[in-house]
Amino acid sequence: MKKRILALLLCLGLLPLPGCAAMLERGHVSSADHVDYAVEDDDESILRAESYAGLVNSILYMVDGHRGGGTIRLYHYAGDVEADLAAAREAVLQTPVGAYAVGELELDSTRILTYYEVKLAIRYTRTAREVEDIPDVMGLAGVRQELNRLVSEGRRSVTFLASYFTGDKALVEQLFRLACQGAPHLFRHHQLSASGDGAGISVALYPETGARRIIEVKLSLPFGTDGEERSYAEQLEAASSALLEEHPPAGEGYTVEELAALVRASAAAWEEEGSDLALDALSGAGASDFGLLMAMEHLCRQCGIGVEPVEGEQGLWLIVNTPRGSRHLLPQSLRPVPPRSDGEEPGEPEFRLYTDRELTELGYEWATSLYPVCLDTGTGG
């Protein structure tokens, strides 16, 4: 019995031994090339197995083929059949395709002279086509790519099989928010990302844990039409192009500091509860930090400057590319300077970019593995 438990742990990936993961799962969303079983009498609905591994793989063979049932004949089986059937059922339901597509899996055994006959009855919650159409992605980068495509293409849902990804629902939601914040022209998506409480987004993982899972994301966008978002994007493009044309760069191309100055000059004022729209920030309206950051991000993208949003314990900010490497840009550097009480023109604020070390020393915290490294070159900004 201890050997059978060890085999189950190995196959579930709890003990990292090569070959066992492959035994339970194969390319796309099904299991690996099966071993330890064979088709009986040229009838694919009847399989022969002699070990626990063969039993598991036989069940997976039926599931992979989206069969409604079948028969497994266990020959020379020395184990506890009923206990192994329960363990095998759980093992199959913890594979991606089992967790995602199988609603019910019933196993019933009967002793027949020299072998045990196991009858399978399987009910599916997904069609075979739905399972076949699921794409494979690798690691964190693959997950981010699918979520970026979900946002950029304006889709309402996405399903994919992620290998070498152990994140939970909260991480998937965070990556979705970053994808939204990386598209300054999609104001309806920003309403989803700004909530931060998961409202409007549904994430399901099949199974819940593991390094190989099917991830399903569904969106419920705020009220509005796709036409409204397209119209907003066109207006933002026109406003930013006009602003850049009116204020050409001092050199061959814009610097991050020059673009930050344009954002400060364009926004009428910084307001904690101001507009979250990049267009308002570039059109003289009172803007929040979120609106200022979206305006800055849009201008950077317009000018070919690498930029991406960062979610940290202290809120949202940007990482921008500079001649000295990647640097952190805080929203404080984008806030318009309020007028002085004596009527004099306010001076320009000190502009500052930060390395990872410098920002950490200020008490900022963020998931460094999700973002570019801002190396300390000893020169600060």
Side-chain angles (χ1 to χ4, degrees), residues 61-74:
Y61 178 84
M62 300 293 186
V63 171
D64 290 348
H66 215 77
R67 292 175 172 83
T71 300
I72 302 172
R73 292 174 180 171
L74 300 176

Side-chain angles (χ1 to χ4, degrees), residues 6-35 53 56-57 60 64 91 94-97 161 163-164 210-212:
L6 177 61
L8 177 58
L9 292 175
L10 290 173
C11 295
L12 290 177
L14 298 178
L15 295 178
L17 206 68
C20 222
M23 183 182 72
L24 279 179
E25 301 172 24
R26 64 180 156 96
H28 215 52
V29 295
S30 51
S31 54
D33 293 338
H34 297 297
V35 295
V56 172
N57 283 327
L60 284 171
D64 290 348
Q94 286 303 305
T95 62
V97 66
L161 173 65
S163 298
Y164 303 106
R212 181 175 169 83

Side-chain angles (χ1 to χ4, degrees), residues 44-55:
E44 291 192 354
S45 67
I46 303 176
L47 302 179
R48 174 191 179 114
E50 298 184 5
S51 65
Y52 176 78
L55 170 62

Side-chain angles (χ1 to χ4, degrees), residues 85-137:
L85 287 180
R89 177 182 182 278
E90 185 62 24
V92 169
L93 292 179
Q94 286 303 305
T95 62
V97 66
Y100 177 74
V102 176
E104 293 181 3
L105 174 56
E106 297 180 0
L107 307 174
D108 183 52
S109 68
T110 304
R111 176 75 179 186
I112 300 178
L113 298 178
T114 59
Y115 63 89
Y116 290 93
E117 184 165 276
V118 180
K119 292 290 186 180
L120 283 77
I122 310 171
R123 182 183 65 81
Y124 297 93
T125 57
R126 319 280 179 167
T127 66
R129 182 60 180 272
E130 284 179 298
V131 176
E132 291 170 0
D133 287 346
I134 297 175
D136 292 4
V137 304

